[in-house]
Amino acid sequence: MTSISRYLFLLPALALLGCMAAGQTFSVTEIQEPEMVFSKAQDGAKKRIPAVAVTPRGAFLAATEQRPSTSDASLTGIYIARKEGDGPWAYDRTTLRCNAGGWGKFMNPSFTVDALGAHGPAGRIYLFFLATTTRSGLARDASVAEIATCYIYSDDDGVSWSDIARVPESAWNQQSFDWMVPSPANGIQVPDGTLFIPCMGRRSGHWCSGLLFKRPGEDWAYSASSEVMEDNESICYEGPDGAVYLNCRNETEGHHRPLYRFVPSGGLLERVDNPFDPNLVCQGTICRVSYEGRDFFLMSFCDPTAYKKRNRISIWVSPDALHWIPAIRLTGTTPSAGYSAVDYRNGTCAAVWEHDSSIETIGFCDLTPHLPRLLHLAAERR
């Protein structure tokens, strides 16, 4: 049975849960037979920090860190996979192998698509990541000379990739942080062609977040950093009002997620209220969906049934990227490292996630058959 038909004909396990709005209930569909895009079959070892993209031609791209162990200090490379429809995955294990080009270890893969052709051929796909040569192997220990925002790009829908390039170190000089590199979440393109990539960095020995952006005809530039210490692993999205928002994980503000609005004049970040309290500190991603004439938002994040338990990785739905309900459960109650990603383009949607507690497999699901129900749930929340 093909991967899509498997989801079309599975009998969803429905669990009635209390909605965040008092007095409401909703059902969560459980994916029964997910496909594994990365496993021990790709050189063994551990697979962490997955990314996913739907390409302009409707293919699927996935990426993951390949680690010898679960440690963040591992000598990490990034593997890339591509498939069309229900076809097999084709793997690229060499372009971003550890220390390719002498760049050291690679972490935090994320995709960004220039669909409008504002910075090169229309449909160019960027794969961003951080590169570091620290002795400890930990990005947090890096000096300015030991870390870089790097990327490769593809002009043939992800079939082949360019050599490694970097955002010039001089782009950091205009801001007050020490350095800033990509977060493990996809970038976006807004209607005027500007690309935005969510980032995390260091400022005076603490984590902070920000945005890397590129306006048509201009060089790469960074926003100011977020105001709250220990903001990191940020997500960016275009909100219903057309503004760009930065949603951040934070280690010190309990389990709240600081939210910022990008101010184009001056490149500042203005903090705004975020009603979503996930009761969990973890990475996640958000994508905007335009489907059947309606816009709504999807988020990949754990369902926080217990504080600090990274289990029940789910797809959440929202009409405004502020008020969320879980709609699709990708994993069960066994904790994993909890990282995941979701992406949408032109009527096609997909998710990837860390599937097992040993961090040896990355799950994949074509969510396209679920879009009508997700649209319905978002409409109910308006």
Side-chain angles (χ1 to χ4, degrees):
M1 185 178 288
T2 65
S3 61
I4 291 179
S5 62
R6 203 163 50 226
Y7 306 131
L8 284 172
F9 293 105
L10 65 85
L11 295 177
L14 298 178
L16 291 179
L17 301 174
C19 185
M20 292 181 181
Q24 291 182 317
T25 59
F26 56 90
S27 60
V28 178
T29 299
E30 296 186 3
I31 299 302
Q32 301 291 314
E33 300 178 43
E35 179 180 353
M36 297 298 117
V37 54
F38 294 105
S39 68
K40 283 187 173 182
Q42 293 82 46
D43 301 327
K46 306 296 183 179
K47 309 295 190 296
R48 280 227 59 196
I49 324 296
V52 69
V54 178
T55 74
R57 299 179 194 171
F60 299 111
L61 286 175
T64 188
E65 292 181 9
Q66 165 80 357
R67 300 184 179 188
S69 71
T70 58
S71 170
D72 288 343
S74 295
L75 296 176
T76 308
I78 292 173
Y79 284 2
I80 309 167
R82 181 184 186 275
K83 78 166 186 170
E84 298 180 5
D86 290 329
W89 290 98
Y91 293 92
D92 180 343
R93 310 181 200 178
T94 59
T95 297
L96 295 180
R97 66 190 183 280
C98 185
N99 204 37
W103 284 96
K105 63 179 289 185
F106 305 129
M107 301 179 71
N108 289 6
S110 67
F111 294 101
T112 305
V113 178
D114 179 9
L116 302 177
H119 309 274
R124 173 171 286 180
I125 303 168
Y126 292 89
L127 174 53
F128 277 88
F129 54 96
L130 73 85
T132 182
T133 57
T134 57
R135 183 181 297 273
S136 70
L138 298 173
R140 69 180 182 219
D141 297 332
S143 67
V144 170
E146 295 174 320
I147 198 164
T149 291
C150 292
Y151 61 89
I152 55 177
Y153 63 84
S154 173
D155 290 334
D156 57 9
D157 208 55
V159 175
S160 63
W161 296 90
S162 70
D163 293 334
I164 297 172
R166 73 164 294 174
V167 174
E169 180 184 327
S170 59
W172 291 332
N173 297 341
Q174 307 304 313
Q175 302 296 345
S176 59
F177 50 76
D178 301 325
W179 48 258
M180 191 76 71
V181 292
S183 287
N186 284 356
I188 62 171
Q189 184 172 47
V190 297
D192 71 0
T194 302
L195 301 176
F196 288 92
I197 291 84
C199 291
M200 54 192 286
R202 298 292 278 180
R203 185 181 67 225
S204 302
H206 297 274
W207 289 112
C208 59
S209 286
L211 286 163
L212 171 65
F213 62 95
K214 191 177 191 304
R215 297 186 173 101
E218 298 183 11
D219 294 330
W220 290 105
Y222 287 90
S223 72
S225 59
S226 58
E227 66 182 53
V228 181
M229 288 295 188
E230 311 308 344
D231 281 345
N232 64 90
E233 294 189 334
S234 59
I235 306 165
C236 73
Y237 61 89
E238 183 187 4
D241 58 356
V244 173
Y245 289 86
L246 192 70
N247 181 311
C248 304
R249 166 179 171 170
N250 190 276
E251 309 297 330
T252 60
E253 290 214 345
H255 38 257
H256 297 284
R257 295 188 64 90
L259 181 66
Y260 303 88
R261 182 190 297 114
F262 176 68
V263 181
S265 57
L268 303 176
L269 294 174
E270 175 185 51
R271 190 168 184 184
V272 297
D273 182 56
N274 184 9
F276 179 63
D277 179 356
N279 200 36
L280 184 74
V281 176
C282 193
Q283 173 267 8
T285 70
I286 295 173
C287 71
R288 184 169 177 164
V289 176
S290 296
Y291 183 73
E292 294 188 354
R294 302 291 293 272
D295 287 355
F296 61 97
F297 297 85
L298 298 178
M299 174 174 66
S300 64
F301 197 76
C302 299
D303 182 353
T305 52
Y307 183 50
K308 292 186 177 179
K309 290 296 179 82
R310 294 183 178 183
N311 55 17
R312 295 185 177 178
I313 300 174
S314 302
I315 299 299
W316 301 61
V317 64
S318 170
D320 56 10
L322 297 174
H323 303 88
W324 297 92
I325 56 172
I328 299 173
R329 185 164 296 151
L330 303 173
T331 63
T333 58
T334 301
S336 74
Y339 283 43
S340 58
V342 63
D343 192 45
Y344 171 88
R345 184 172 304 278
N346 300 331
T348 301
C349 188
V352 292
W353 63 93
E354 295 172 337
H355 186 69
D356 65 288
S357 57
S358 298
I359 320 177
E360 296 175 339
T361 53
I362 301 296
F364 168 85
C365 181
D366 180 354
L367 296 175
T368 307
H370 297 278
L371 286 172
R373 177 173 173 271
L374 294 168
L375 172 63
H376 176 72
L377 288 173
E380 286 187 337
R381 294 287 290 163
R382 293 185 187 276

